[in-house]
Amino acid sequence: MSLESIYEAVLKGDAKTAAADVETALNDGVPPGDILHQACIPAMTEVGRLFEIGEKFVPEMLIAARAMQTAVNLLKPHLVDSDVQSLGKVVVGTVAGDLHDIGKNLVAMMLEGAGFEIIDLGTDVSAEKFVAAVQENNPQVVGMSALLTTTMTSISATIEALTEAGLRDNVKVVVGGAPITQDFANKVGADGFAPDAGSAPRVVKALLGAS
Ligand code: B12
């Protein structure tokens, strides 16, 4: 089974074919990381490009996202080693006003694979909910995802809320998402930024002084 056919299936939003082709590729010994990085993620990037130029619309983005999630769910057991020792807790969520969760889910998966315990708050997470989750779970790290330029401000609002609640010094804040840059992370006072799920574990470990 070729990576090309998985790419096409995710691009078209054909979850059934995507699932079947991922299964076949795994059985054929194709590395799960290759399936993710060479087929699934490029397909979503292409969906975004086609949306931008008006050749795809929201419903098509949504079905492509579902096909992507189906593929990722099949890859997850192969990418995450459940036997690793816990390096600490990370609370993750997509910020208020934002419903995009594919990138956040991938980051959570990679962190889990690296040995972190994940508390996933889902999407459209208010500043209050982040604060409550930190109070409740005492994580070492909070990871926030924003995919819209309009919801980037929710990151700064959440960081401010953590500060007001007296929790900012207890946690490291890591941010990411397509419109987020290192520059933005510095401006809003985040501790770290990672451009993709592959580099997220390294960034988080460095912040905690773990290797
Ligand atoms: C799929 C998708 C959707 C799906 C989301 C489904 C889902 N369950 O997530 C649906 C259809 C719901 C959707 C809706 C909308 N979308 Co949309 N969407 C996309 C699309 C095509 C792909 C996003 C994606 O999953 N990428 C793949 C993942 C793997 O990449 P990623 O998210 O960037 O994540 C990686 C990194 O950023 C990083 N990362 C991400 N989060 C975090 C967090 C941490 C802590 C760290 C360290 C790293 C990190 O690691 C990830 C993995 O490598 C993008 C286009 C694009 N190229 O980004 C548009 C895009 C983000 N959407 C866009 C828009 C406009 C919308 C809508 C407003 C459309 C509308 N008119 O209704 C709505 C908004 C809904 C809302 N309130 O959130 C625009 C945003 C424009 C802007 N500048 O703000 C984009 C860029 C499309 C475009 N080119 O115009 N969308």
Side-chain angles (χ1 to χ4, degrees):
M1 188 49 58
S2 66
L3 291 173
E4 185 75 15
S5 68
I6 297 171
Y7 172 90
E8 288 296 333
V10 173
L11 183 59
K12 275 194 249 150
D14 181 349
K16 224 169 150 184
T17 305
D21 289 358
V22 166
E23 293 273 24
T24 312
L26 287 171
N27 288 335
D28 287 351
V30 180
D34 287 1
I35 302 177
L36 181 65
H37 293 288
Q38 291 172 29
C40 301
I41 293 180
M44 286 315 294
T45 306
E46 179 62 3
V47 172
R49 193 188 68 80
L50 293 171
F51 175 76
E52 213 163 338
I53 61 173
E55 286 186 14
K56 275 209 188 282
F57 302 95
V58 172
E60 293 162 302
M61 279 207 285
L62 202 53
I63 58 163
R66 278 200 204 124
M68 168 85 175
Q69 203 57 58
T70 306
V72 169
N73 289 343
L74 289 171
L75 294 173
K76 187 175 171 182
H78 300 270
L79 291 166
V80 175
D81 180 357
S82 53
D83 286 340
V84 280
Q85 212 194 339
S86 178
L87 290 175
K89 283 188 205 168
V90 184
V91 162
V92 296
T94 302
V95 295
D98 203 320
L99 300 174
H100 296 85
D101 66 357
I102 296 174
K104 182 263 298 166
N105 292 347
L106 285 176
V107 169
M109 194 171 90
M110 296 312 260
L111 289 174
E112 194 182 337
F116 290 95
E117 190 185 325
I118 304 297
I119 296 130
D120 189 345
L121 305 179
T123 60
D124 190 16
V125 181
S126 64
E128 296 74 37
K129 212 168 158 194
F130 271 109
V131 166
V134 171
Q135 281 164 340
E136 198 177 313
N137 299 289
N138 256 317
Q140 283 76 17
V141 181
V142 174
M144 289 180 226
S145 180
L147 263 285
L148 299 169
T149 42
T150 49
T151 58
M152 288 165 76
T153 49
S154 298
I155 291 185
S156 34
T158 305
I159 293 179
E160 276 164 31
L162 287 169
T163 307
E164 274 163 31
L167 299 167
R168 184 64 189 90
D169 294 337
N170 305 357
V171 287
K172 298 287 183 193
V173 172
V174 190
V175 296
I180 309 300
T181 58
Q182 182 66 58
D183 199 42
F184 175 82
N186 295 344
K187 252 184 222 144
V188 298
D191 300 296
F193 158 75
D196 52 53
S199 55
R202 185 174 43 75
V203 170
V204 171
K205 280 185 194 171
L207 285 176
L208 298 179
S211 55

